[in-house]
Amino acid sequence: MMIMNPSKATPEGWGTLGSAILTFIFFWDLIRRYCPPELRLYVERSGRRISGFFNPTIQISIHEYIGSHMKPHEAYGIVEAYLSISSSKDAKNLKAEMAGETETKLVLSMDENEKTTDEFNGAQVVWISGKVPSPPQTSSFPYHRETEKRYYKLKFHRRYKKLITESYLEHVVKTGRDRIQERNRQRKLYTNGYSKSDWSHIVFDHPATFETLALEREKKEEIIEDLLSFTKGRDFYKRIGKAWKRGYLLYGPPGTGKSTMIAAMANFLDYDVYDLELTSVKNNTELRKLLAETTSRSIIVIEDIDCSLDLTGERKNKMEKSGETETEIIKKPSSRRDREAESGSQVTLSGLLNFIDGLWSSCAGERVIVFTTNHVEKLDPALTRRGRMDKHIEFSYCKFEGFKVLAKNYLNLEEHPMFGSVEDLMEKVKITPADVAENLMPKSAKEGPDECLQSLINALKEVQAIETNKVVAAAEQENHPQLVIEWIPTVQETRD
């Protein structure tokens, strides 16, 4: 077959070439339409073999996600870290990011649709970065967007196949992992609130530590020891046949430091945090999908579990009060409010339990699951039993030892003459660490430690007066049932 030189082509020559192409397309269409499937498959295989003979290039793809967008692929991050070392040599389009808060320079890596070359023991390879186009947006939710599905392609001559598959890829993995460990990796805070069925993230830079927690020293040491035992228990969990995870239930009144404890745990373990908003999850299937996309070495958080969904056994209580069966309740005509609720999240208690310790709970490796609640008595016992929520941690009102931690944090004080008055009052009244911190925080540049401590003492005395008045009122009501006492709450009482 003659190859036409474009510089010497004539209109007649172009016409001949066009006719040849049309003839080929015509016969190829006939083969696809009327040939038996076996013959058509044979022709396609032969075509691929002929094409491979003339094209000696072998290609390996590394996608960001495994399977149908279910789990981030560790190999993708390793290749990205490896290419951040060599890609700046000849790639023209690069993207830059800070490797960590303490870094003083940017880390460069290949941008999408860019390529770079690499050499290994005399073999030349080409790395190409790409991105699968996102489908058209169909959701009316303003922040919904499909997660970009990126990939890397490695191309090399087939004569280097053994060298690349046996030595070069091992070199890439080792170098990439070393590069990741060298970086001061920023922790990430993920949420499903914006994209509902996908995780979005920002940098997690919460400064809380166990040293700054307003908690008794014995309790902090107990939690730290438990976390350390968990992180070193890979072989133990494997031997006993359990998924490498641990559940924590943090419960207590509002303002007692439950969320701060989660931040301290993440900083202590150096884990990412996944803040799961259950009301944004459509059903149990989406819940499993979100779980599968979490990474190892992470904390999955569900805050205020008693307020998230109807998982507190209220349906059972309704059936017991009405004497109706569950089937009768389902068939009963629903109100407009019920129909609106049904159009939202349909995550069930069964789906959440499977999320915690079912078969899907073992899909991501080393993870901590944390629930928080202000009303532990409302939770279903099936949710809080040991094995699901392994460790229950109560957060109560502030004690004097917790106050001393807050005084050190806010006022840089370890001792002060007014500490005695604070200790006496804190033994008699209940006040949350959040209220203590609010009173210790200087309101202006003129306020010093004395003014802040006096503000706290005044707040404690106010709470004490409220509690005393409540006791007196209760006694008066008991002695004179016909007497109705109306109270006008103070600012502090209203806040509580």
Side-chain angles (χ1 to χ4, degrees), residues 176-193:
R177 280 181 172 161
D178 291 343
R179 178 65 171 174
I180 292 175
Q181 292 176 358
E182 288 173 4
R183 294 181 181 178
N184 182 14
R185 187 181 71 89
Q186 287 183 325
R187 286 176 297 281
K188 296 178 181 179
L189 173 62
Y190 292 84
T191 180
N192 64 311

Side-chain angles (χ1 to χ4, degrees), residues 104-167:
T104 58
K105 63 180 181 179
L106 295 173
V107 175
L108 302 178
S109 58
M110 290 171 56
D111 205 351
E112 280 80 13
N113 302 317
E114 184 57 57
K115 68 178 181 179
T116 184
T117 58
D118 195 15
E119 183 177 351
F120 181 76
N121 292 346
Q124 293 282 343
V125 300
V126 177
W127 286 99
I128 301 173
S129 65
K131 180 174 62 176
V132 177
S134 300
Q137 182 171 334
T138 58
S139 173
S140 59
F141 190 73
Y143 295 103
H144 178 75
R145 63 184 185 277
E146 288 289 337
T147 304
E148 297 175 346
K149 299 179 181 180
R150 300 174 296 176
Y151 62 85
Y152 286 110
K153 287 184 179 179
L154 172 63
K155 292 186 176 183
F156 53 92
H157 197 281
R158 62 187 176 195
R159 66 170 171 265
Y160 299 125
K161 182 177 180 180
K162 184 175 181 181
L163 175 66
I164 298 300
T165 55
E166 294 183 2
S167 301

Side-chain angles (χ1 to χ4, degrees), residues 1 22 44 66 132 193 203 303 346 388:
M1 181 178 182
L22 290 174
E44 290 177 354
I66 298 175
V132 177
V203 174
E303 295 200 84
Q346 297 179 14
R388 286 175 178 150

Side-chain angles (χ1 to χ4, degrees), residues 348-375:
T348 64
L349 177 60
S350 175
L352 185 61
L353 296 181
N354 186 48
F355 175 91
I356 298 171
D357 70 345
L359 294 175
W360 284 84
S361 66
S362 60
C363 65
E366 181 181 357
R367 288 174 308 150
V368 172
I369 301 175
V370 180
F371 283 179
T372 71
T373 180
N374 298 330
H375 306 283

Side-chain angles (χ1 to χ4, degrees), residues 399-463:
K399 305 297 183 184
F400 181 68
E401 188 174 349
F403 155 75
K404 294 184 69 175
V405 175
L406 293 173
K408 174 66 175 177
N409 295 343
Y410 285 83
L411 305 176
N412 199 24
L413 290 178
E414 294 185 1
E415 293 293 340
H416 193 277
M418 300 174 72
F419 277 14
S421 300
V422 174
E423 183 175 10
D424 292 339
L425 287 167
M426 294 190 77
E427 291 178 354
K428 302 173 184 177
V429 300
K430 296 178 180 180
I431 188 170
T432 66
D435 284 328
V436 173
E438 177 63 24
N439 285 281
L440 292 179
M441 182 178 293
K443 304 302 185 294
S444 66
K446 296 180 180 180
E447 286 193 1
D450 291 346
E451 290 79 7
C452 294
L453 288 172
Q454 187 60 51
S455 174
L456 175 61
I457 290 174
N458 293 339
L460 288 168
K461 288 181 178 179
E462 186 176 357
V463 175

